[in-house]
Amino acid sequence: MPEKAEDIVRQGIDYHESGDISKATHYFRTAAEMGDPVGMLMYGLAVRHGWGCQSNRQLAFQYLQKSAEHAVGDLKSRDSFASTAAKGELVLAIYELGICFRHGWGVEKNKKNAAYYFEIAANLGDPDAQNDLAWCYYHGVGVKKDMYKAAKYYRLASAQGVNTVGNSWIWKEKYGGANAEKGQAS
């Protein structure tokens, strides 16, 4: 087994991609126990979904929360070749906390907290978080209904290739779309 936590995570991902989910989860857990935030994210997702282990949403939430807590510091300190991938995975940890709060997975359901975490991840560039936050603003779920903000976040997601059918309204001038060319966010 590799000695560095980042290498252990990489090995876990390799096992996951080859279909050996139980072995992948073992590696993710090992990296998580070593304090690696990406290992915590991957182990949290594995435990939440029961990938190669017993599903335990409360434990999953704890690991996802620990990963997200480390995210800000790690996003500033990781400057290796893997930093882009690591940044995406750590922003994903923040987004996944929002998912937990939205569905009540391992924590009491709380739409306001879900929107809060979606907004953090959205502002860090996660297109799924941008889409989910836009939905929250569109429907007034966890936040005050705001069509202008909904359009803004839908446009940000669209600029990254995450589109929602029927969202041509986001390009209308009254929602700030006149200042953004189709495919780009304002």
Side-chain angles (χ1 to χ4, degrees):
M1 180 177 287
E3 292 182 25
K4 289 177 59 179
E6 288 181 39
D7 294 334
I8 293 170
V9 170
R10 169 55 42 213
Q11 187 69 52
I13 290 170
D14 290 345
Y15 281 119
H16 186 86
E17 289 175 349
S18 71
D20 194 342
I21 305 302
S22 294
K23 202 168 221 176
T25 299
H26 169 75
Y27 276 78
F28 296 149
R29 181 179 182 171
T30 300
E33 289 173 347
M34 292 173 73
D36 185 77
V38 178
M40 291 176 198
L41 165 67
M42 299 305 289
Y43 184 61
L45 291 174
V47 172
R48 183 171 81 193
H49 296 292
W51 297 336
C53 63
Q54 180 75 26
S55 178
N56 182 332
R57 290 186 171 162
Q58 289 78 22
L59 182 63
F61 179 80
Q62 291 171 9
Y63 275 97
L64 292 170
Q65 187 174 36
K66 287 178 188 177
S67 178
E69 288 170 358
H70 285 90
V72 175
D74 271 29
L75 291 173
K76 293 178 182 176
S77 69
R78 287 188 186 228
D79 54 8
S80 66
F81 174 74
S83 65
T84 302
K87 177 184 177 187
E89 290 165 343
L90 294 173
V91 171
L92 178 61
I94 296 167
Y95 170 68
E96 289 294 339
L97 279 181
I99 295 293
C100 289
F101 278 109
R102 178 172 63 191
H103 295 291
W105 290 344
V107 66
E108 189 173 324
K109 193 181 282 192
N110 186 317
K111 305 292 184 180
K112 188 175 181 177
N113 283 350
Y116 170 78
Y117 286 106
F118 291 157
E119 186 162 19
I120 292 170
N123 289 332
L124 288 169
D126 185 87
D128 292 321
Q130 291 164 344
N131 222 21
D132 282 350
L133 180 61
W135 186 90
C136 290
Y137 277 118
Y138 183 86
H139 295 282
V141 175
V143 292
K144 184 177 176 185
K145 186 172 183 169
D146 187 326
M147 298 299 283
Y148 188 87
K149 285 184 179 180
K152 171 190 169 185
Y153 283 104
Y154 276 134
R155 285 193 305 272
L156 287 169
S158 178
Q160 295 187 72
V162 178
N163 295 298
T164 302
V165 174
N167 269 0
S168 61
W169 64 271
I170 67 175
W171 305 105
K172 290 184 179 181
E173 185 176 346
K174 70 180 182 178
Y175 300 117
N179 298 326
E181 290 185 30
K182 204 165 191 174
Q184 296 180 357
S186 62

